[in-house]
Amino acid sequence: MKLTWMKWSALPVAVLFAGSAAMAQDQPAPSSQPAPQAQSGSASAPATPATAPTPAAKPTIAQRKENQQDRIAQGVKSGQLTAGETANLETKEAAINGETKADRAANGGKLTAAEKKQINGQQNQVSKQIYKDKHNASTANYGKSKVGQRQENQQDRIAHGVKSGQLTAGETAKLENQQKGINQQVAADRKANGGTLTASEKKQVNHEQNAASKNIYHKKHNARTQPQAQPKK
């Protein structure tokens, strides 16, 4: 009789613990707060005070610049950024880079706190623009034609150059403006011909892409490169 009473009296306790565990799994992750101290008389050892989390180091100017380029490269590769959007973004990045270089030259190679703040503010604006351009309705649609495949191949080569640092922001802006012009010409020709290109138009586009291809190769293999940021120590 005693064993039966103990069995049934333990059941509500087990149900209570099971319900508590299920509720705990559905709660948001706890914030980093100091662990509560063990109550007096408890058999468990006193809790060790939790150490405050180390704040993440702010990215340097160079790291911020490289991050922006990586995001742009991904957008070009995926087709989220059109040639025109990329040219606009890289023109802004080139301007920031030029300003940074001029400030460093005037201050013995360093930036003042005010200059760093200003550059970060400008990069914040470009960062918002990158996100907006990558998530709007404008995308690069190349199609399966030979002309479209050539357009996509050029963009892939440019994206690789941006990601690797072989292309500076200024070089990328020029290359993408060139691709923008070709793309606009192709779109106008197709519109005038019911969605197709004539043999002479295809020949003209390929001639222009050959010239653009040489430009891409030259700019990726010249002495100008985008310096890769070093990890902050």
Side-chain angles (χ1 to χ4, degrees):
M1 186 68 177
K2 183 177 180 181
L3 290 176
T4 303
W5 177 85
M6 290 178 64
K7 174 180 178 182
W8 289 104
S9 63
L11 181 60
V13 177
V15 173
L16 178 61
F17 276 116
S20 300
M23 291 177 63
Q25 290 179 353
D26 199 38
Q27 298 299 315
S31 58
S32 300
Q33 298 292 338
Q37 298 293 332
Q39 295 182 356
S40 177
S42 174
S44 59
T48 303
T51 57
T54 303
K58 292 183 178 180
T60 64
I61 296 297
Q63 289 171 337
R64 188 79 188 277
K65 179 172 63 175
E66 184 174 346
N67 179 60
Q68 302 281 61
Q69 292 301 97
D70 288 347
R71 293 172 62 201
I72 292 173
Q74 188 277 330
V76 174
K77 178 69 176 178
S78 66
Q80 290 175 286
L81 292 175
T82 65
E85 290 172 336
T86 305
N88 180 56
L89 291 171
E90 290 289 31
T91 297
K92 292 180 178 179
E93 283 292 303
I96 296 174
N97 294 346
E99 179 183 338
T100 303
K101 184 178 180 180
D103 288 341
R104 289 188 186 280
N107 297 317
K110 298 182 179 181
L111 295 173
T112 66
E115 290 167 343
K116 290 179 181 179
K117 183 178 180 180
Q118 181 177 354
I119 292 170
N120 272 319
Q122 293 170 338
Q123 287 287 26
N124 288 341
Q125 293 301 314
V126 176
S127 180
K128 292 177 182 178
Q129 190 64 49
I130 293 172
Y131 182 88
K132 180 180 178 181
D133 288 346
K134 288 176 69 175
H135 295 84
N136 62 16
S138 300
T139 57
N141 298 313
Y142 307 108
K144 296 182 179 180
S145 67
K146 290 183 178 180
V147 171
Q149 290 174 347
R150 188 80 187 274
Q151 290 172 311
E152 184 173 4
N153 180 62
Q154 301 285 56
Q155 291 300 96
D156 288 347
R157 292 172 63 201
I158 292 172
H160 173 268
V162 174
K163 177 67 175 178
S164 66
Q166 289 176 285
L167 291 175
T168 66
E171 290 174 331
T172 304
K174 291 179 180 178
L175 292 173
E176 289 289 25
N177 271 321
Q178 189 173 20
Q179 289 298 309
K180 176 185 176 182
I182 297 174
N183 295 346
Q184 289 176 337
Q185 178 185 331
V186 170
D189 289 341
R190 288 188 186 280
K191 184 176 181 181
N193 299 319
T196 61
L197 295 174
T198 66
S200 61
E201 288 169 344
K202 291 178 181 179
K203 183 177 180 180
Q204 176 66 21
V205 171
N206 271 323
H207 177 74
E208 293 173 355
Q209 287 288 26
N210 287 341
S213 181
K214 292 178 182 179
N215 283 339
I216 294 172
Y217 181 87
H218 174 71
K219 293 184 185 306
K220 287 178 69 174
H221 294 84
N222 61 15
R224 290 185 293 275
T225 59
Q226 185 89 4
Q228 300 296 300
Q230 298 298 321
K232 188 173 182 180
K233 297 180 180 180

